[in-house]
Each structure stands twice: as C-alpha cells, then as structure tokens.
Amino acid sequence: MRPGAATVGAVRAAALLLGAAGLAHTLWHGLAEPGNALAFGTLVALGELARRGARPVSEALRGSEPAPLAAAAALAYALLGADAGTPTTHGVLQTVAVVCAAGLAGIVPHIARRRAQDDDRGPDPDHLARRVLTVGFAALCFQPLYNAGALTGPVGTGAPYVLFLLLVLVLTGLCDAVLAALLLRARTAYPYGPLLRDELRALLGIGSAVCATGVVMALGVAAAGLWALPVLAVPLLLTQVSYRRYETVRTVNRQTIASLARATEIAGCTPPGHARRVAALATAVGRELGLGGSELTVLEYAALMHDIGQLSLLDPVPGGATAPLPAEDQRRIALLGGEVVRMTGVPAAVAHVVERQADPYREQPLPARIVRTVNAYDDLAGEDGGAALEALETLRLGTARDHHPEVVAGLARVLARDGAPGVTSSPTG
C-alpha cells in the first residue's frame, strides 16, 4: 500500500459515512421541504453534468473546481435559512443527503462514458468526497444556529447576517483547501505547504465566484423563493463556460510548445522523449522544492524547450547531450534557445529560464537551476534511467559549481519515490 493510500481512504471513508448517515436519516424521517430539495438537488446534478470533461493538463490547475455551479448550489442549500420568508427545517443531514444523491446522479453519466470510451479522464471521486465533507461542514456551522433562532434574533437579517454567511464560507473554503492539499499530498508526496498555498490561491479565482454565488443564491431564495435560482445560476454558468475556454487555450498552448520541443528530436538533435522526460521530472522536482501555480507552468514550458537552441547550431551536438560540453558552448546554446523561444510568442519568463540554464548556479533563478540539473541527469542516466545512481553521484560531485545541492537533493528524493534503480534520498559518499 502506498504511504498516502491510508489518507485517501480515510477521507473517502469519512465522506461515505457522512453521506450514508444523511441518506439514512432522510429516509427514516422523510424529506423536509421537498420542493427546495428537488430544486437545489437538480441544480447540483446539472452542475455535475456540465462539469469539465477532462482533468487539468497542468499541475497548476489540478486542484481547481471542476463543477463550480454544483459547488455553489450545494453551498447555497447548506446556507439556506428561509424560502420566500418562510423558515426552513431541512437541517444538516438532509443537506448532506441531497448533495450526495444529486452529485452521484450527475457524475454517473461521466463514469459510464469514460468506461465506454476506455478513457482515464472524468470525475475524480475525491472531488465528490470533498464536496460532501465541506458542505456538511458549512451546514453544521449554519443550520443548527439558524434552526435554534440564534441568528435571526441577535444577528438579525441585515448586514450582520450576510457577514456571518461570508464567515462560514471563508471557513468552508479553508476546509476544502486543507482537504484538497491533503489528498494531493497523499497521492504525490509533494510538500504540503506549497500545495496548500496553491489551493488557497485558487480560492481567489473561481473559488471566490463559487462562494459569492452560493451566498447570493441562499439570500435570493430567502427573499424571493425558488424563482431566484435559475436567474442567479446563469452568471456562474457563463463563468464556467469561459473557464472551459480558458482551459482549452491553455491546452492548445501546451500542445504547441510540446510540438516545438519535439522539433529537436525530429531534427535528430536530441534523443526521442528527452524533452518530455526532462519536463516531467523538472515539474516533480519543482513541486518538491516548493514551486507552485504559474511558477510550475513556466518551469514545465522551459524544460520542454530547453534544447531548442540546438536547432541554430551548424554542427549538431553528438547524441544531443549538452551536459558534457564546455561551459561556453552550453551558454551559447542556452542564449540561442532564449532567442528562439522569444520568437515563438511564449511568455518572456520561459525564455529567461532557458537563457539562464547554463549560468553558474549561484547566479541562476530556481527554475533555471532545476532545468540545468534535470537535463544533466537525463543526459547522464540515459533513456531508460539505467545509470540513475551513477548520474546522481556525478551531479553530487558537481555541487561545488554546476548544480545546486538542494536541487540535487530534491531530485534524489523524487527519484527515490519513483523507484529509480539504486537511488536513495540520502546523500552517499
């Protein structure tokens, strides 16, 4: 069993137990306010059906909300205190039951399509587990206090009431961010701090729209009834469509950069798969060393295009391996690569990393240090990584000038987790 499997299993088990308790309680006591349950449940299911069909292609987007409309509707139901002025009584467990049943109804078609098409893309069970737990948390913070009259009395229904709802949403967002980072940490063994930082940054993007829409939905239904739901859902649905287009553009950009990177392989300048291997390993090392968000995207793109300067050489480098070359030749190839990258329209930060990859490591930014070290490792270890231990020892011997010790240590930890032959995370020699 992987070290993180217990964490993932515990989170899923907690969500399963909470969902089962909610369904059992609702079946036993009956459904309070069936109209509200049906309306919000339908909106959650529709939101799941309209979710993004593919998982994010970038690590920077891996924690982002795939079904914002469903998330907003679920939060709104958890924070629903009245329907057109009439107090509601659905409580915590019914909230969980409705969200769980509607979420399952919405993701079943995605799962069936994924199996029919033999595709590994589609709904992630962790997202549903997180939704059940976070919605249960929000309902637990709000429903008992509202049903006991503790909010309508001292707080009232004006600005203090809205501020209380916003406070609950902030706490709920933090809860979801902690769970998301915990699950990603369990799957990848990356440091928890940078993962949590990325999740908190995501709250300022689509997460803030989800939270704001959830509050507005709850307040709109409380004042005007269920007729407010479709009107208030439209802006977030448009936001979801725009976000899908944004992801499509990111996917096209990444595919374009990957195609440009393959030009060196097609021209015979580098071994097949070299750029892809360096990009994957550099991204993992970047995560290990605390990079996240846009920094990881820049690192990935720079790693894919780090050898593109070889296309400008009159005489190809034997075998495409730049690590054994003299420092002057490495720097010349890096500068040529930066010029080529700038002409492709890729962000200037990517060209800067490509240009700086051959500098002494004390003068390099962290992404350039990572690209330099990972590129040297792949050149020395070979396509199948058969000489992984020897390559890593060579890099450790070069920590006086060529490779930063922390980057080499991070690379060793990543390789040790991936099971590279003979590699351990502790220094040797």
Side-chain angles (χ1 to χ4, degrees):
M1 179 182 293
R2 299 195 323 269
T7 301
V8 175
V11 172
R12 292 183 179 180
L16 181 62
L17 289 175
L18 182 58
L23 292 170
H25 177 273
T26 303
L27 290 174
W28 181 261
H29 293 281
L31 197 63
E33 294 102 22
N36 291 342
L38 179 61
F40 281 94
T42 300
L43 201 57
V44 170
L46 289 176
E48 291 290 349
L49 286 172
R51 67 160 49 227
R52 301 195 306 268
R55 293 177 184 170
V57 297
S58 171
E59 286 286 346
L61 291 176
R62 199 168 296 279
S64 58
E65 175 58 56
L69 182 59
L75 284 175
Y77 190 52
L79 301 177
L80 183 65
D83 177 8
T86 303
T88 60
T89 59
H90 53 277
V92 177
L93 290 178
Q94 179 173 311
T95 300
V96 172
V98 170
V99 170
C100 187
L104 289 173
I107 68 173
V108 163
H110 291 289
I111 295 175
R113 182 179 59 186
R114 181 178 63 180
R115 290 182 177 178
Q117 297 178 355
D118 192 22
D119 190 355
D120 64 352
R121 300 174 302 174
D124 186 347
D126 291 345
H127 276 293
L128 183 58
R130 282 167 46 199
R131 178 154 303 145
V132 169
L133 292 175
T134 53
V135 167
F137 175 82
L140 185 63
C141 291
F142 175 81
Q143 291 292 336
L145 292 175
Y146 185 89
N147 293 335
L151 296 181
T152 55
V155 176
T157 57
Y161 181 75
V162 175
L163 290 176
F164 177 77
L165 292 182
L166 292 176
L167 175 62
V168 172
L169 282 179
V170 169
L171 294 176
T172 302
L174 292 176
C175 175
D176 185 61
V178 168
L179 283 175
L182 186 66
L183 289 169
L184 192 54
R185 159 71 178 171
R187 291 183 179 281
T188 63
Y190 294 146
Y192 183 76
L195 295 177
L196 180 60
R197 182 186 62 197
D198 285 350
E199 295 298 332
L200 293 176
R201 284 177 178 172
L203 288 177
L204 302 178
I206 191 69
S208 61
V210 168
C211 292
T213 305
V215 169
V216 173
M217 280 183 176
L219 295 176
V221 172
L226 295 176
W227 293 106
L229 272 184
V231 176
L232 297 174
V234 169
L236 190 58
L237 187 60
L238 295 176
T239 301
Q240 182 170 346
V241 172
S242 300
Y243 199 73
R244 292 181 68 174
R245 291 182 177 177
Y246 168 71
E247 263 195 34
T248 301
V249 171
R250 286 181 60 95
T251 303
V252 172
N253 286 342
R254 186 180 185 278
Q255 291 173 344
T256 301
I257 291 172
S259 298
L260 289 172
R262 288 193 67 242
T264 58
E265 300 175 12
I266 295 173
C269 298
T270 57
H274 172 71
R276 175 181 49 80
R277 292 193 303 272
V278 171
L281 190 52
T283 302
V285 174
R287 275 287 193 190
E288 181 70 24
L289 297 179
L291 296 182
S294 59
E295 296 171 320
L296 273 183
T297 302
V298 169
L299 174 60
E300 180 187 15
Y301 290 173
L304 282 170
M305 305 183 76
H306 73 280
D307 270 332
I308 203 166
Q310 294 196 40
L311 295 176
S312 301
L313 298 178
L314 296 178
D315 298 321
V317 177
T322 56
L325 295 178
E328 294 76 12
D329 291 343
Q330 293 186 34
R331 194 166 292 112
R332 181 166 62 92
I333 293 173
L335 292 175
L336 290 172
E339 293 179 8
V340 174
V341 171
R342 292 182 193 280
M343 289 188 292
T344 63
V346 174
V350 177
H352 181 68
V353 173
V354 172
E355 288 174 341
R356 300 292 302 278
Q357 63 176 310
D359 294 349
Y361 75 72
R362 292 180 178 84
E363 303 173 9
Q364 291 176 313
L366 180 56
R369 293 174 179 175
I370 294 172
V371 172
R372 178 188 180 100
T373 299
V374 174
N375 173 56
Y377 168 79
D378 194 79
D379 285 344
L380 296 170
E383 183 176 349
D384 58 357
L389 184 59
E390 293 80 359
L392 201 55
E393 288 301 318
T394 301
L395 296 180
R396 284 170 174 153
L397 292 174
T399 53
R401 181 181 184 278
D402 296 327
H403 305 286
H404 196 285
E406 291 183 4
V407 176
V408 176
L411 173 62
R413 291 193 296 270
V414 171
L415 293 173
R417 283 200 303 268
D418 291 345
V423 175
T424 63
S425 58
S426 58
T428 60

